[in-house]
Amino acid sequence: MAGAGQGGEFRYRAVERRILDMIESGRLVPGGRAPSLRAMSRAAGVSLATVGHAYEELERRGVLRSRPRSGYFLREGRAQLSAPARPSAPPQEPRPVNRQALIRMVLTVVGDRELLPFGVAGPEERLLHEAHLTRVLGRVLRDDPLAALNYTPVHGLTALRRQIAYRAQEWGAEVRPEDVLVTSGAIEALHIALRALTRPGDAVLVQSPTYHCFLQLLENLGLRVIEAPSSPDTGISPAQVREAVDRFDLRCCILTPNFNNPDGALLPEEAKAEIVDILAERDIPLVEDDVYGDLHFGPVRPAGFKKWDRRGLVLQCSSFSKTLCPGWRVGWILPGRFLERALDVKFSSSVATATPNQMAVAQYLAEGRYDRHLRRLRSALEAQTRTIRHLLSRYFPAGTRVTRPQGGCVLWLELPGGVDSVDLFYRARAEGIGISPGNVFSTQDRFSNYIRLNAGALIDERADAGLRRLGRLAAQCATRRS
């Protein structure tokens, strides 16, 4: 395919990245002229046609503007937005969760194709490998229709468990196929983990902000939550974890080490190892959500907590929902020493995971196409994340702050002027735009002026116009509250 480079990444993406680097470093300022096509061709070592394609894509996404006989210029706007302030509070006292109604309100937008998909975290379908996945599914149904009609073992399809174990071994975890339990998405995996570990009234440590579905699960199970602040740069610190285990009677922790939802935080590798050691000293299990680990923007996939687990205390949960096929609901849990308890919970809930979906994903992975797909998906998500950051600097009110994640597909915005994000949620939904208000990511009202945006939504004219409208609504809310 024209413009394709090594490893399946389109060469024009490298040109886009150079322009976005220039913007974020301040070398290309609003209204400033971008390098000429010929100069960029020489600098990037690509053809003029490839540079032209990249510039056209950036113009389509609202980053550049072409002027006849003058070249391309960065669109007018403010300088790049700053990052949100770092939280500094100590771990909070255990408290019950009371966010069910608020979270249910936000989840009503899931699957609503009329809304711009900035409210649900995950790549838009057009970024996924849907054509080949559909062919694979059709082929496995034709080749072995009787197997597709039957149950798989409760553990899951052996071929799929083998592929999952192999991928975990690639980033350093000691995992065998028999250690894997296939689930109906990561949410079932997390539910199994918490059911296997806790009883109503137990205290669980989470980072704050944290994924709202964690809070929903904890509330449904009657658990109390201890929140420790998470920095958008480096996540929850080992010192915060140690303080929490020293002060409180913890039953387990539930943490996201790689690109936390919603703030995109990535824990340094040494911090992951230290946290595992701190918890192992007290024999406290760690439930790990690693659904975004494969969506890193850097050259190397970050390891999960499971890499440093020597006592079977880490229960890693993940799925293919953020990378391959969200509607198929194929996930897994690596329960460590708690495998038998996890199986008991699986027996008493769904018993088995859908067979055709497992067969198709196992075949897709066995064909070796997944890594090539991931390279393209990561490249697209990185470009979109940085493009959206630029558009926010143009459309959102002064004082807005936004994260700079190194992977994943979400942006965490701090809005100015006392904006009520729940009010903004309703106003945006009325205008056909989905967002997630900050209050659903904590048991407390600490993030009432924050919102989470999905960077997996393709930036086209409709999405650009939606971000412009959303910025206008945010400015109106700030004006009303001031």
Side-chain angles (χ1 to χ4, degrees):
M1 182 176 291
Q6 291 184 348
E9 181 183 4
F10 289 109
R11 290 187 188 276
Y12 76 84
R13 293 285 190 203
V15 177
E16 288 184 0
R17 192 176 294 114
R18 280 177 175 261
I19 293 295
L20 293 168
D21 282 342
M22 293 175 66
I23 295 170
E24 293 191 353
S25 67
R27 288 178 290 153
L28 182 56
V29 299
R33 183 175 180 175
S36 69
L37 271 66
R38 194 171 301 280
M40 181 59 76
S41 173
R42 289 194 299 269
V46 297
S47 68
L48 286 171
T50 298
V51 179
H53 185 189
Y55 281 21
E56 287 170 5
E57 279 292 301
L58 290 168
E59 182 175 29
R60 181 185 64 79
R61 296 207 304 263
V63 177
L64 298 180
R65 182 195 300 276
S66 63
R67 296 179 187 170
R69 296 184 297 278
S70 296
Y72 285 85
F73 295 78
L74 181 62
R75 287 181 178 267
E76 296 290 345
R78 293 189 307 279
Q80 291 294 295
L81 302 179
S82 301
R86 290 188 176 193
S88 59
Q92 302 296 304
E93 295 285 338
R95 56 188 294 156
V97 185
N98 185 21
R99 281 290 189 261
Q100 193 76 266
L102 190 58
I103 294 170
R104 191 185 308 120
M105 170 199 75
V106 172
L107 291 177
T108 58
V109 306
V110 175
D112 187 341
R113 302 179 71 87
E114 298 301 313
L115 291 178
L116 280 170
F118 290 118
V120 179
E124 209 175 312
E125 305 92 283
R126 288 175 286 176
L127 291 174
L128 302 177
H129 211 179
E130 84 289 344
H132 188 74
L133 282 169
T134 301
R135 287 195 296 270
V136 170
L137 179 59
R139 187 164 69 248
V140 299
L141 291 174
R142 288 192 304 271
D143 291 348
D144 201 349
L146 293 181
L149 290 175
N150 209 341
Y151 291 113
T152 61
V154 177
H155 283 78
L157 191 71
T158 300
L160 178 59
R161 294 163 62 209
R162 187 179 298 119
Q163 291 291 335
I164 292 169
Y166 172 72
R167 297 197 65 81
Q169 291 165 8
E170 284 189 324
W171 50 258
E174 298 178 6
V175 177
R176 304 164 301 171
E178 53 266 35
D179 299 326
V180 180
L181 173 58
V182 178
T183 63
S184 298
I187 290 297
E188 188 191 25
L190 293 161
H191 181 255
I192 287 172
L194 290 170
R195 284 271 310 276
L197 297 174
T198 64
R199 297 292 180 268
D202 286 344
V204 176
L205 178 70
V206 302
Q207 60 203 99
S208 182
T210 194
Y211 182 34
H212 54 68
C213 284
F214 294 173
L215 299 179
Q216 191 174 39
L217 279 172
L218 295 168
E219 183 169 353
N220 285 337
L221 294 172
L223 301 170
R224 296 176 302 144
V225 170
I226 297 164
E227 294 189 49
S230 171
S231 161
D233 297 324
T234 56
I236 187 172
S237 72
Q240 294 273 16
V241 174
R242 186 173 292 281
E243 182 177 358
V245 300
D246 286 343
R247 289 178 58 192
F248 308 116
D249 181 17
L250 289 180
R251 187 64 193 88
C252 70
C253 302
I254 178 168
L255 304 174
T256 304
N258 298 323
F259 319 120
N260 178 49
N261 180 358
D263 65 2
L266 172 63
L267 266 71
E269 300 296 279
E270 60 274 15
K272 296 172 187 173
E274 188 176 350
I275 287 171
V276 171
D277 288 344
I278 290 169
L279 296 175
E281 290 171 8
R282 307 292 183 92
D283 211 38
I284 298 173
L286 170 56
V287 179
E288 170 183 16
D289 177 34
D290 193 37
V291 294
Y292 296 105
D294 280 340
L295 297 181
H296 54 97
F297 299 158
V300 179
R301 189 208 194 276
F305 286 122
K306 194 70 177 175
K307 176 179 177 178
W308 290 277
D309 183 25
R310 300 293 177 262
R311 299 181 54 193
L313 284 167
V314 175
L315 298 84
Q316 188 187 66
C317 304
S318 191
S319 79
F320 295 103
S321 295
K322 304 303 182 185
T323 58
L324 198 60
C325 43
W328 288 11
R329 313 305 302 141
V330 178
W332 67 90
I333 179 173
L334 309 176
R337 69 162 76 163
F338 305 99
L339 177 59
E340 294 304 316
R341 288 194 213 171
L343 283 169
D344 287 342
V345 177
K346 179 75 173 175
F347 272 120
S348 67
S349 54
S350 61
V351 180
T353 305
T355 303
N357 301 350
Q358 292 189 66
M359 294 171 66
V361 172
Q363 180 62 37
Y364 180 87
L365 295 173
E367 291 178 1
R369 296 176 180 268
Y370 187 51
D371 285 318
R372 185 182 184 195
H373 162 68
L374 282 177
R375 284 192 292 271
R376 294 187 177 190
L377 178 59
R378 289 195 297 260
S379 180
L381 288 175
E382 181 184 13
Q384 287 182 192
T385 299
R386 297 170 74 176
T387 298
I388 292 173
R389 284 176 45 82
H390 174 69
L391 295 177
L392 295 175
S393 72
R394 291 178 54 205
Y395 299 147
F396 272 61
T400 299
R401 295 170 174 263
V402 64
T403 50
R404 295 189 176 190
Q406 300 176 53
C409 60
V410 294
L411 288 168
W412 183 233
L413 277 70
E414 182 182 359
L415 300 174
V419 173
D420 182 344
S421 62
V422 174
D423 180 32
L424 181 59
F425 166 83
Y426 282 115
R427 289 168 171 267
R429 190 172 67 176
E431 296 217 18
I433 306 165
I435 62 170
S436 291
N439 276 348
V440 299
F441 300 100
S442 171
T443 62
Q444 307 164 62
D445 294 333
R446 298 179 54 229
F447 303 108
S448 57
N449 65 318
Y450 285 72
I451 63 171
R452 188 199 69 187
L453 291 182
N454 176 31
L458 275 175
I459 302 304
D460 52 20
E461 289 184 7
R462 178 171 175 251
D464 181 280
L467 286 173
R468 184 185 292 111
R469 289 200 307 275
L470 185 60
R472 189 162 55 242
L473 290 172
Q476 290 171 1
C477 290
T479 301
R480 289 176 64 242
R481 300 278 295 189
S482 61

